[in-house]
Every structure is written in C-alpha cells, then in structure tokens.
Amino acid sequence: MSLKKFVMVKFLNDTMVEPSVSEWFGFYRSGQAKETIPLQETSLYTEDRLGLKEMDRAGKLVFLGAQGDHLRFSEEWFYTSILPFLQ
C-alpha cells in the first residue's frame, strides 16, 4: 500500500507468457487450463491476499497494454507510457 501506483504491462501479442492475462494478474479459471479470468475474479483479488483489491479501490492499479511481443516496445512508448509513473 505504500506504492503510489502499481503499473502492470500486458504485451498484446505476447508469445512467451501463458496465459497472457497473467501479465495483469489474471489466470485460468480454477480446475482447468482453457478459460481465463481477469484479476478481479481471482481469489488473490477477492480475498485481497496481496492488497491488490485495496490498491484498486484507491486508484493505485494501472493496467497498460503494449502492442507487440514480450518485452518488445519502442523507446517512444516507454517515454510516453512508463516514464510518467517514475517521476
């Protein structure tokens, strides 16, 4: 909770992370490995195990999407999308 913002980046064409929704703390629905659920439907969130629910309510969670494959982003995207959160 001491963070000002918790910024999560999902690479929209990611071929490395499976499931890609886990880049935003989502995961597979319990008991199978096909259907995914967003963070807000996971027990990690609903039971607030890491404080993400409280941070979300406080407006501290930031979900960014980046075009491209895993960790492939332009310098311009970094400057415009990430750098403002580091100042």
Side-chain angles (χ1 to χ4, degrees):
M1 287 306 301
S2 64
L3 296 175
K4 291 179 183 177
K5 296 285 183 183
F6 177 30
V7 179
M8 294 170 273
V9 177
K10 177 180 177 182
F11 293 88
L12 302 175
N13 303 105
D14 203 317
T15 59
M16 183 174 289
V17 176
E18 185 63 35
S20 62
V21 70
S22 66
E23 292 173 303
W24 285 344
F25 277 82
F27 205 61
Y28 292 114
R29 187 170 299 285
S30 183
Q32 49 83 52
K34 276 191 171 185
E35 182 185 359
T36 59
I37 57 174
L39 166 65
Q40 292 80 357
E41 293 180 30
T42 66
S43 59
L44 182 70
Y45 184 89
T46 59
E47 297 171 13
D48 210 14
R49 295 179 185 171
L50 296 177
L52 296 174
K53 185 176 184 178
E54 185 177 345
M55 291 180 72
D56 195 15
R57 287 182 177 162
K60 293 183 174 190
L61 296 186
V62 178
F63 298 87
L64 296 180
Q67 292 297 326
D69 201 356
H70 190 72
L71 296 178
R72 304 287 181 182
F73 54 87
S74 68
E75 191 172 326
E76 178 185 347
W77 181 86
F78 179 83
Y79 287 130
T80 60
S81 301
I82 300 296
L83 196 59
F85 293 105
L86 300 176
Q87 298 178 358

